[in-house]
Amino acid sequence: MVALNIMRKSFIIALFVAILFGGGYFYYTAQAVCPVPLSYSIGSIDDRFDMTTDEARVAVSDAESVWENATGRNLFTYDENGKLKINFVYDNRQQFVTAEGNMKQKLDATENMSDAIKDTYTKLISQYDELKASYQDRVQAYEENLDAYNSEVEDYNKKGGAPADVYASLSKQKKELDTEQNSLNELSTSLNTLVAQINDIGDKGNVLISTYNKGVNLYNQAFGNAREFTQGDYSSSVINIYTYADKNELRTVLAHELGHSLGLEHVEGTSSIMYYLIGGQPQENLAPSDTDITEFNRVCGNTTLLERLKFSIENQLSYLVPVK
């Protein structure tokens, strides 16, 4: 059993684990060599999967190439009348996965908005601190200059007045002090405006955090408990796909069930395609593990170098466009 950790930073959720069943085990040992190439066709696709037949074919083709590239053999081939039918069956399992995915997207979007607001809030705080420090320094200098000016004026008033040149100098100082006072008043207004912006964005951030936390609680209640269910199965030349979260997961489920269609059994190792639980397999670069290949060789036999070379050449030629 594998528990998936899907939420970031503030909380951890043990998501569902999905079991990949291949049907009963009794039919595997009946075949010593797998019947390849195995022809398949796309059967029924529930409209709620929002998938066309062509898109389903591409998905299956991606999954079959996982085995064929690793083994160097042509294992599967598409045929409209192919005996192996691949169906996409929509039920409460896919509803659950879709609902979980939608809610997680909303939580991620809220978290991203909260992070953006936090960045803006931090920048505003830094701007405020810098502006406030400058304001305080200028206020201190202004008050010192004002005290010196008032003291000098008081001294000359006691003496009956100031000489003309001193009076002119004092008048100039007075204008400079008035100008600085006006500038400080404007700077104080800017600081107050900045404080209002900080408080406003802080309130918005708090609302988002509250919304996010409520969403997390709802998410945990709805999806936080680990659970097991079948994502796909194979039986009697029919593959049924029930649920998947994204294209990478669909490829893994299909590759697993295609392995069963060849007669492969479940193997050990969470990274193995034929492991009975999904979650530990590589998402981007899916490939059979050594244990998968051992099981494949047990059922389908080893390939020779000549067979692998032949398959590689045929695979490359299939991409060539004939010259008209």
Side-chain angles (χ1 to χ4, degrees), residues 44 61 104 109 148 245 314:
S44 61
S61 178
K104 183 177 182 298
E314 291 175 347

Side-chain angles (χ1 to χ4, degrees), residues 310-322:
K310 179 175 180 293
F311 173 79
S312 178
I313 294 174
E314 291 175 347
N315 191 44
Q316 293 297 321
L317 289 175
S318 67
Y319 292 98
L320 297 179
V321 178

Side-chain angles (χ1 to χ4, degrees), residues 67-103:
W67 288 107
E68 292 179 338
N69 291 339
T71 61
R73 294 175 63 178
N74 182 21
L75 303 174
F76 305 95
T77 181
Y78 175 78
D79 183 342
E80 290 184 356
N81 300 313
K83 182 179 178 182
L84 176 62
K85 295 289 183 182
I86 301 177
N87 303 314
F88 290 79
V89 183
Y90 192 102
D91 57 21
N92 62 310
R93 286 167 284 193
Q94 186 61 35
Q95 289 177 344
F96 177 90
V97 170
T98 300
E100 183 275 331
N102 290 339
M103 193 167 186

Side-chain angles (χ1 to χ4, degrees), residues 3 16 60 68 106 130 140 148 168 196 212 221 230 244 248 293:
F16 61 86
V60 178
E68 292 179 338
K106 291 179 180 179
E130 183 178 347
Q140 182 178 353
Y212 181 75
Q221 292 173 16
T230 304
Y244 53 90
N248 286 335
I293 295 300

